[in-house]
Amino acid sequence: MRQVVLKAPRELEFREVPAPRAADLKEHEILLQVKRIGICGSEIHSYHGTHPATFYPVVQGHEYAGTVVAVGTAVESIRPGDKITARPQLVCGTCNPCRRGQYNVCEHLRVQAFQADGAAQDYFVVSDDRAVRLPDDLPLDYGAMIEPSAVGAHATTRPRELEGRNVVVSGAGTIGNLIAQFAKARGARKVVITDVSDARLAIARECGIEHTLNVARTPLKEALPELFGEEGFQVGFEAAGVEVSVRSLMECIEKGGDVIIVGVHAKDPAISMFYLGEHELNLIGSMMYRHEDYLTAVDMVSKGRIHLQPLVSNRFPLEQYDEAYRYIDAHRETSMKVLVDLEA
Ligand SMILES: NC(=O)c1ccc[n+]([C@@H]2O[C@H](COP(=O)([O-])OP(=O)(O)OC[C@H]3O[C@@H](n4cnc5c(N)ncnc54)[C@H](O)[C@@H]3O)[C@@H](O)[C@H]2O)c1
Ligand SMILES: [Zn+2]
Ligand SMILES: [Zn+2]
């Protein structure tokens, strides 16, 4: 079978390797024929050698979907022929976070495509506790986009309260977009998404997020009265990963509000301890997802409550994995989700 390995920064190798065999499956394992892979920003960092926790060489691909070829003897709910996706999280199961069910922050977490091999190959073995069955009529493209959707599903469980609250999402990349869509779907009152790119805000509107603000033209603080009147906003999601974004959320949010940090800050931002302390703000982290977030994402996407089509920018066959990376580099602002189609 074909396999795509990132040997070192900017060095992709296309290998021909033996496929895993159905006869070798352990009882809780599933053999998957991989059909779609989504490329995400973190892998672009691995590609450029700027991801601090990528162990090379590594097989690419952590957002994937495909069809089941065979299952181990103890697999119950998934059958050959089913469409599935799976969480790319390998956890220890025994550390304190794992034991209290917070395995998304396992002390020994390994994420496929970064610290363990990923799915950029024709066949892949996953364990049944990480697999989620997709409805038959759900396009495989969307199956590969359940992973970023689950990031949005999880982040929107992090505020102490979301329903009926006004929300600002800072950053309208794939992640901010999906957080804003989930915030709306979960009953937030008014959801405003901000970015410095009109192109990304236009995509947000295509996804049904009506209220957009270009903070390069009008800073959040200036726009607040018009956006929320006397009400202000109570929940902020930081999904840009830049200092000015977290600072402005902390400065503008109602006292006592919740700021959820989703963006990965390459450089630690200088934030105001004054606002944090005197305004009794809650800074809350959000890390990937847990299984229930995958289930929520599949449910909401298949019901059409989360719109993924406007996020698909382009697709490439497996042989053109490096073209896909180059395309993303050359279209930073306009490309959102680039898919690799193993059937092409
Ligand atoms: N916590 C998690 O589990 C998790 C999971 C996936 C990604 N992430 C992180 O989330 C962040 C967003 O991911 P993405 O794939 O959407 O990235 P992205 O780079 O596509 O999106 C970031 C967006 O922020 C915008 N931006 C820049 N400056 C801004 C500002 N001052 N105000 C508002 N917007 C601004 C950019 O124009 C861009 O559209 C990244 O930092 C990523 O590493 C976190
Ligand atoms: Zn991803
Ligand atoms: Zn653990």
PDB file of all heavy atoms in Angstrom, residues 38-43 62-63 88 114 147-148 151 175 288-289 337, ligand 2:
ATOM      1  N   GLY A  38      -7.977  15.223   6.022  1.00  0.00           N
ATOM      2  CA  GLY A  38      -7.963  16.686   6.039  1.00  0.00           C
ATOM      3  C   GLY A  38      -6.592  17.136   6.529  1.00  0.00           C
ATOM      4  O   GLY A  38      -5.998  16.509   7.404  1.00  0.00           O
ATOM      5  N   ILE A  39      -6.102  18.216   5.930  1.00  0.00           N
ATOM      6  CA  ILE A  39      -4.804  18.736   6.387  1.00  0.00           C
ATOM      7  C   ILE A  39      -5.079  19.911   7.309  1.00  0.00           C
ATOM      8  O   ILE A  39      -5.922  20.754   7.011  1.00  0.00           O
ATOM      9  CB  ILE A  39      -3.947  19.182   5.192  1.00  0.00           C
ATOM     10  CG1 ILE A  39      -3.656  17.962   4.315  1.00  0.00           C
ATOM     11  CG2 ILE A  39      -2.630  19.821   5.681  1.00  0.00           C
ATOM     12  CD1 ILE A  39      -2.788  18.263   3.122  1.00  0.00           C
ATOM     13  N   CYS A  40      -4.382  19.959   8.451  1.00  0.00           N
ATOM     14  CA  CYS A  40      -4.641  21.072   9.350  1.00  0.00           C
ATOM     15  C   CYS A  40      -3.365  21.853   9.621  1.00  0.00           C
ATOM     16  O   CYS A  40      -2.261  21.403   9.317  1.00  0.00           O
ATOM     17  CB  CYS A  40      -5.344  20.622  10.621  1.00  0.00           C
ATOM     18  SG  CYS A  40      -4.347  20.463  12.070  1.00  0.00           S
ATOM     19  N   GLY A  41      -3.564  23.046  10.148  1.00  0.00           N
ATOM     20  CA  GLY A  41      -2.486  23.998  10.360  1.00  0.00           C
ATOM     21  C   GLY A  41      -1.294  23.419  11.115  1.00  0.00           C
ATOM     22  O   GLY A  41      -0.141  23.724  10.805  1.00  0.00           O
ATOM     23  N   SER A  42      -1.572  22.543  12.099  1.00  0.00           N
ATOM     24  CA  SER A  42      -0.464  22.006  12.900  1.00  0.00           C
ATOM     25  C   SER A  42       0.463  21.165  12.037  1.00  0.00           C
ATOM     26  O   SER A  42       1.679  21.139  12.241  1.00  0.00           O
ATOM     27  CB  SER A  42      -0.991  21.144  14.042  1.00  0.00           C
ATOM     28  OG  SER A  42      -2.226  21.594  14.483  1.00  0.00           O
ATOM     29  N   GLU A  43      -0.116  20.456  11.052  1.00  0.00           N
ATOM     30  CA  GLU A  43       0.742  19.636  10.182  1.00  0.00           C
ATOM     31  C   GLU A  43       1.594  20.508   9.258  1.00  0.00           C
ATOM     32  O   GLU A  43       2.695  20.111   8.877  1.00  0.00           O
ATOM     33  CB  GLU A  43      -0.111  18.652   9.378  1.00  0.00           C
ATOM     34  CG  GLU A  43      -0.545  17.483  10.247  1.00  0.00           C
ATOM     35  CD  GLU A  43      -1.600  16.627   9.587  1.00  0.00           C
ATOM     36  OE1 GLU A  43      -2.601  17.166   9.102  1.00  0.00           O
ATOM     37  OE2 GLU A  43      -1.412  15.399   9.564  1.00  0.00           O
ATOM     38  N   HIS A  62      -4.112  13.147  10.569  1.00  0.00           N
ATOM     39  CA  HIS A  62      -4.842  12.850  11.810  1.00  0.00           C
ATOM     40  C   HIS A  62      -6.330  13.181  11.701  1.00  0.00           C
ATOM     41  O   HIS A  62      -7.083  12.966  12.630  1.00  0.00           O
ATOM     42  CB  HIS A  62      -4.210  13.572  13.004  1.00  0.00           C
ATOM     43  CG  HIS A  62      -4.401  15.050  12.979  1.00  0.00           C
ATOM     44  ND1 HIS A  62      -3.637  15.873  12.193  1.00  0.00           N
ATOM     45  CD2 HIS A  62      -5.273  15.852  13.613  1.00  0.00           C
ATOM     46  CE1 HIS A  62      -4.023  17.124  12.355  1.00  0.00           C
ATOM     47  NE2 HIS A  62      -5.025  17.144  13.201  1.00  0.00           N
ATOM     48  N   GLU A  63      -6.748  13.718  10.547  1.00  0.00           N
ATOM     49  CA  GLU A  63      -8.180  13.980  10.316  1.00  0.00           C
ATOM     50  C   GLU A  63      -8.568  13.046   9.186  1.00  0.00           C
ATOM     51  O   GLU A  63      -8.249  13.317   8.037  1.00  0.00           O
ATOM     52  CB  GLU A  63      -8.385  15.444   9.903  1.00  0.00           C
ATOM     53  CG  GLU A  63      -7.777  16.433  10.888  1.00  0.00           C
ATOM     54  CD  GLU A  63      -7.913  17.892  10.449  1.00  0.00           C
ATOM     55  OE1 GLU A  63      -8.464  18.159   9.369  1.00  0.00           O
ATOM     56  OE2 GLU A  63      -7.473  18.764  11.214  1.00  0.00           O
ATOM     57  N   PRO A  88      -7.579  10.696  16.837  1.00  0.00           N
ATOM     58  CA  PRO A  88      -6.151  10.381  16.667  1.00  0.00           C
ATOM     59  C   PRO A  88      -5.378  10.410  17.989  1.00  0.00           C
ATOM     60  O   PRO A  88      -4.166  10.598  17.991  1.00  0.00           O
ATOM     61  CB  PRO A  88      -5.682  11.510  15.741  1.00  0.00           C
ATOM     62  CG  PRO A  88      -6.535  12.677  16.127  1.00  0.00           C
ATOM     63  CD  PRO A  88      -7.873  12.108  16.519  1.00  0.00           C
ATOM     64  N   PHE A 114       1.843  13.328  14.842  1.00  0.00           N
ATOM     65  CA  PHE A 114       2.822  14.180  15.526  1.00  0.00           C
ATOM     66  C   PHE A 114       3.794  13.340  16.357  1.00  0.00           C
ATOM     67  O   PHE A 114       4.988  13.368  16.140  1.00  0.00           O
ATOM     68  CB  PHE A 114       2.114  15.227  16.394  1.00  0.00           C
ATOM     69  CG  PHE A 114       1.200  16.095  15.583  1.00  0.00           C
ATOM     70  CD1 PHE A 114      -0.139  15.796  15.469  1.00  0.00           C
ATOM     71  CD2 PHE A 114       1.716  17.165  14.864  1.00  0.00           C
ATOM     72  CE1 PHE A 114      -0.975  16.566  14.671  1.00  0.00           C
ATOM     73  CE2 PHE A 114       0.894  17.943  14.061  1.00  0.00           C
ATOM     74  CZ  PHE A 114      -0.450  17.645  13.963  1.00  0.00           C
ATOM     75  N   GLU A 147     -12.939  15.778  12.918  1.00  0.00           N
ATOM     76  CA  GLU A 147     -11.886  16.108  13.893  1.00  0.00           C
ATOM     77  C   GLU A 147     -11.896  17.596  14.246  1.00  0.00           C
ATOM     78  O   GLU A 147     -12.071  17.955  15.411  1.00  0.00           O
ATOM     79  CB  GLU A 147     -10.519  15.619  13.373  1.00  0.00           C
ATOM     80  CG  GLU A 147      -9.440  15.580  14.439  1.00  0.00           C
ATOM     81  CD  GLU A 147      -8.616  16.853  14.589  1.00  0.00           C
ATOM     82  OE1 GLU A 147      -8.866  17.844  13.901  1.00  0.00           O
ATOM     83  OE2 GLU A 147      -7.724  16.864  15.445  1.00  0.00           O
ATOM     84  N   PRO A 148     -11.734  18.519  13.268  1.00  0.00           N
ATOM     85  CA  PRO A 148     -11.806  19.934  13.661  1.00  0.00           C
ATOM     86  C   PRO A 148     -13.176  20.321  14.222  1.00  0.00           C
ATOM     87  O   PRO A 148     -13.263  21.184  15.105  1.00  0.00           O
ATOM     88  CB  PRO A 148     -11.498  20.692  12.364  1.00  0.00           C
ATOM     89  CG  PRO A 148     -11.680  19.702  11.249  1.00  0.00           C
ATOM     90  CD  PRO A 148     -11.411  18.358  11.836  1.00  0.00           C
ATOM     91  N   VAL A 151     -13.195  19.718  17.822  1.00  0.00           N
ATOM     92  CA  VAL A 151     -12.483  20.774  18.574  1.00  0.00           C
ATOM     93  C   VAL A 151     -13.488  21.877  18.941  1.00  0.00           C
ATOM     94  O   VAL A 151     -13.512  22.374  20.067  1.00  0.00           O
ATOM     95  CB  VAL A 151     -11.319  21.372  17.744  1.00  0.00           C
ATOM     96  CG1 VAL A 151     -10.694  22.571  18.464  1.00  0.00           C
ATOM     97  CG2 VAL A 151     -10.254  20.295  17.471  1.00  0.00           C
ATOM     98  N   ILE A 175     -10.988  26.567  12.874  1.00  0.00           N
ATOM     99  CA  ILE A 175     -11.337  26.294  14.269  1.00  0.00           C
ATOM    100  C   ILE A 175     -12.297  27.353  14.821  1.00  0.00           C
ATOM    101  O   ILE A 175     -13.342  27.018  15.397  1.00  0.00           O
ATOM    102  CB  ILE A 175     -10.051  26.184  15.125  1.00  0.00           C
ATOM    103  CG1 ILE A 175      -9.191  24.987  14.657  1.00  0.00           C
ATOM    104  CG2 ILE A 175     -10.370  26.078  16.612  1.00  0.00           C
ATOM    105  CD1 ILE A 175      -9.853  23.625  14.770  1.00  0.00           C
ATOM    106  N   MET A 288      -8.142  19.785  22.404  1.00  0.00           N
ATOM    107  CA  MET A 288      -8.692  18.776  21.497  1.00  0.00           C
ATOM    108  C   MET A 288     -10.142  18.449  21.845  1.00  0.00           C
ATOM    109  O   MET A 288     -10.986  19.335  21.833  1.00  0.00           O
ATOM    110  CB  MET A 288      -7.813  17.526  21.451  1.00  0.00           C
ATOM    111  CG  MET A 288      -6.405  17.820  20.932  1.00  0.00           C
ATOM    112  SD  MET A 288      -5.354  16.343  20.782  1.00  0.00           S
ATOM    113  CE  MET A 288      -5.891  15.703  19.213  1.00  0.00           C
ATOM    114  N   TYR A 289     -10.395  17.181  22.262  1.00  0.00           N
ATOM    115  CA  TYR A 289     -11.769  16.698  22.425  1.00  0.00           C
ATOM    116  C   TYR A 289     -11.721  15.378  23.141  1.00  0.00           C
ATOM    117  O   TYR A 289     -10.657  14.784  23.311  1.00  0.00           O
ATOM    118  CB  TYR A 289     -12.415  16.490  21.036  1.00  0.00           C
ATOM    119  CG  TYR A 289     -11.372  16.106  20.008  1.00  0.00           C
ATOM    120  CD1 TYR A 289     -10.711  14.882  20.070  1.00  0.00           C
ATOM    121  CD2 TYR A 289     -10.952  17.010  19.037  1.00  0.00           C
ATOM    122  CE1 TYR A 289      -9.709  14.560  19.182  1.00  0.00           C
ATOM    123  CE2 TYR A 289      -9.937  16.686  18.144  1.00  0.00           C
ATOM    124  CZ  TYR A 289      -9.326  15.461  18.221  1.00  0.00           C
ATOM    125  OH  TYR A 289      -8.313  15.155  17.359  1.00  0.00           O
ATOM    126  N   LYS A 337      -9.995  24.361   4.569  1.00  0.00           N
ATOM    127  CA  LYS A 337      -9.698  22.934   4.694  1.00  0.00           C
ATOM    128  C   LYS A 337      -9.314  22.357   3.330  1.00  0.00           C
ATOM    129  O   LYS A 337     -10.069  22.436   2.376  1.00  0.00           O
ATOM    130  CB  LYS A 337     -10.933  22.222   5.263  1.00  0.00           C
ATOM    131  CG  LYS A 337     -10.703  20.790   5.648  1.00  0.00           C
ATOM    132  CD  LYS A 337      -9.489  20.549   6.544  1.00  0.00           C
ATOM    133  CE  LYS A 337      -9.604  21.151   7.931  1.00  0.00           C
ATOM    134  NZ  LYS A 337      -8.318  20.980   8.693  1.00  0.00           N
TER     135      LYS A 337
HETATM  136 ZN    ZN B   2      -6.247  18.968  13.039  1.00  0.00          ZN
END
